[in-house]
Amino acid sequence: MNRFIYADNAATTRLLPEVLEAMMPYLTDEYGNASSLYGFGQESRIAVDRAKDEIAACLHCRADEVFVTSGGSEADNWAIKSAAAMMAAKGKKHIISTAFEHHAVLHTLDALKKEGFEITLLPVYNNGIVKTDDLKAALREDTALVSVMFANNEIGTLQPIAEIGAICREHGVWFHTDAVQAVGHVPVDFAAMNIDFLSLSAHKFHGPKGVGALIIRKGIRIPNLIHGGAQEKGRRAGTENTAGIVGMATAMKLACNNMDNVNASLCQKRDRLIRELTGGIVRSRLNGDAEKRLPGNINISFEGIEGESLLLMLDMRGICASSGSACTSGSLDPSHVLLSIGLPHAIAHGSLRLSLSEETTDEDIDTILREVPVIVQRLRDMSPLWETILKSENQ
Ligand SMILES: *Cc1c(COP(=O)(O)O)cnc(C)c1O
């Protein structure tokens, strides 16, 4: 039994016991260096190679397109900075992205802006989805890269990745997607979607923390990130994290194989939470498109309250949730994602993100549905802002 209800799977997930089991040999007896030539190291080499084959099968890419990183942030940084540097050499210094990317992308773009790149951020509208017409209109002769996330980490909205990929390929512009929230959760087809760079992270799909990958389309020779040995074809040197890589592949394989079943049940739980919370609590609204969203994502704003207070009270009742991105907690600014879909500051402040996993039970949903309305009411009873809203309503 869990001590608490964990509804923050967009922040990180529990390492599955099967994944730990697959990793254990490489954390214990099979400690040989995957880059050594003797038989003992070969066991690790074989495990790393097999892991890349498994990752490639899930993502519909080639095994030699998989480059291991320390996670999603590193993959995002590597892809964007490399593409920018390579294209700048050809005089292309314009990058297109969206207003609601993860900070690993947005802050990388900020850094490039200081180096003289011009950045166009596409709007994502009330439903949290980019329009391909906006992308077409933004493309220029000097566009170096398009970077659009596969699924948003706060509001869960899915972007038209295949269409964007086709447009970019047609225009001969590289396309990077931060697919950290998508891999292991929705079908991803690297080849068919015409993706050139794809970032992923194992801890977002029940794998270990500190390992991820950048998938780089074959034929693109990006600069080395870490100089040293020949690991990752010399692009990112350093002794392979054998256990981490095996864990990432095992978790991905499990997620891909079980995806249809898991998602059918997740969507039911998600839609029940959305229906009963927005239906049962006045002045509440769902953030992001109701259909084109991750199976486990619920993001709702409640007028007249502070999301942080809601989180603290949920925590006291044993429910782990989020009010936006974990990276901005501790700051008083509302989430850039909620502002990007047009929420006023006051409403953005009163938002709750619940992110479910296959381990979320119907009893967990019952508990959340029992606790949230009571807490929202209690907070509203104490809120001067809510009083103002009620008064203006009665006028
Ligand atoms: C979690 C996350 C990241 C960062 O991944 P790390 O492995 O934690 O560095 C990047 N992008 C998105 C969309 C994420 O959800």
Side-chain angles (χ1 to χ4, degrees):
M1 269 302 283
N2 268 338
R3 288 169 292 119
F4 50 78
I5 294 174
Y6 187 71
D8 202 16
N9 288 278
T12 195
T13 58
R14 189 170 84 95
L15 187 78
L16 286 177
E18 303 93 297
V19 175
L20 178 62
E21 202 182 314
M23 293 171 69
M24 272 313 262
Y26 307 99
L27 292 166
T28 53
D29 296 338
E30 292 291 352
Y31 57 85
N33 188 319
S35 299
S36 303
L37 290 180
Y38 39 78
F40 180 45
Q42 286 304 298
E43 289 303 317
S44 300
R45 170 87 269 139
I46 291 167
V48 168
D49 288 346
R50 193 191 317 123
K52 288 194 177 180
D53 285 338
E54 290 168 350
I55 291 168
C58 289
L59 301 178
H60 303 273
C61 67
R62 302 165 50 109
D64 61 0
E65 293 176 322
V66 178
F67 292 82
V68 175
T69 66
S70 67
S73 301
E74 183 185 320
D76 285 341
N77 272 257
W78 191 14
I80 295 171
K81 287 177 190 166
S82 300
M86 290 167 81
M87 285 296 151
K90 298 182 178 178
K92 298 187 174 188
K93 298 193 79 173
H94 174 235
I95 299 174
I96 301 172
S97 189
T98 79
F100 74 167
E101 296 293 312
H102 190 273
H103 283 139
V105 169
L106 284 181
H107 290 171
T108 300
L109 295 176
D110 286 343
L112 288 172
K113 201 169 168 181
K114 292 204 182 87
E115 291 174 20
F117 284 84
E118 205 184 318
I119 315 292
T120 301
L121 296 182
L122 302 175
V124 292
Y125 301 94
N126 291 150
N127 65 354
I129 297 176
V130 294
K131 291 189 178 160
T132 49
D133 281 344
D134 289 340
L135 169 63
K136 285 182 195 157
L139 282 167
R140 307 191 322 209
E141 279 300 310
D142 64 340
T143 302
L145 177 75
V146 171
S147 180
V148 176
M149 69 197 321
F150 206 116
N152 184 269
N153 48 302
E154 291 188 38
I155 57 175
T157 49
L158 297 163
Q159 305 305 308
I161 294 302
E163 288 91 323
I164 294 171
I167 293 166
C168 290
R169 191 61 55 88
E170 188 189 323
H171 286 77
V173 175
W174 278 344
F175 174 37
H176 165 252
T177 184
D178 174 340
V180 173
Q181 290 289 332
V183 169
H185 299 283
V186 291
V188 171
D189 193 323
F190 183 79
M193 292 172 164
N194 289 305
I195 299 164
D196 297 301
F197 305 95
L198 180 146
S199 306
L200 66 96
S201 180
H203 77 97
K204 300 289 176 78
F205 50 86
H206 301 282
K209 290 173 181 58
V211 61
L214 178 63
I215 316 299
I216 308 173
R217 185 163 60 82
K218 194 166 174 64
I220 300 179
R221 178 75 175 87
I222 73 170
N224 298 344
L225 178 66
I226 300 177
H227 299 278
Q231 295 91 355
E232 308 304 324
K233 296 199 217 38
R235 308 277 220 293
R236 183 180 182 272
T239 302
E240 287 90 346
N241 171 9
T242 311
I245 297 168
V246 167
M248 169 161 63
T250 307
M252 198 187 291
K253 197 170 59 174
L254 283 168
C256 290
N257 291 345
N258 300 332
M259 193 178 284
D260 291 347
N261 285 336
V262 166
N263 283 356
S265 137
L266 267 183
C267 285
Q268 263 179 6
K269 295 186 174 87
R270 174 195 71 187
D271 293 341
R272 178 173 168 225
L273 276 173
I274 292 173
R275 195 174 54 242
E276 296 190 22
L277 287 176
T278 57
I281 301 175
V282 296
R283 287 185 174 267
S284 62
R285 69 169 87 174
L286 175 69
N287 294 315
D289 196 88
E291 266 115 52
K292 293 194 179 104
R293 73 188 297 128
L294 289 168
N297 177 290
I298 295 104
N299 190 310
I300 297 178
S301 296
F302 305 102
E303 283 183 47
I305 67 164
E306 287 287 342
E308 281 68 26
S309 318
L310 177 58
L311 287 195
L312 290 177
M313 291 181 75
L314 282 170
D315 187 28
M316 288 193 286
R317 309 296 294 169
I319 299 170
C320 308
S322 164
S323 66
S325 108
C327 319
T328 43
S329 60
S331 123
L332 286 178
D333 294 333
S335 129
H336 70 285
V337 174
L338 297 175
L339 296 181
S340 77
I341 58 167
L343 285 197
H345 278 235
I347 296 180
H349 268 303
S351 301
L352 172 69
R353 178 187 74 186
L354 299 163
S355 42
L356 317 179
S357 85
E358 70 217 61
E359 303 197 314
T360 311
T361 64
D362 285 318
E363 291 71 51
D364 293 342
I365 307 289
D366 292 339
T367 308
I368 294 170
L369 283 171
R370 199 170 55 240
E371 298 291 350
V372 172
V374 177
I375 296 174
V376 168
Q377 191 52 53
R378 197 176 309 155
L379 290 171
R380 281 177 170 175
D381 288 343
M382 303 186 296
S383 155
L385 182 58
W386 182 244
E387 212 172 304
T388 318
I389 292 169
L390 287 186
K391 272 194 196 128
S392 66
E393 210 172 44
N394 292 335
Q395 265 166 13

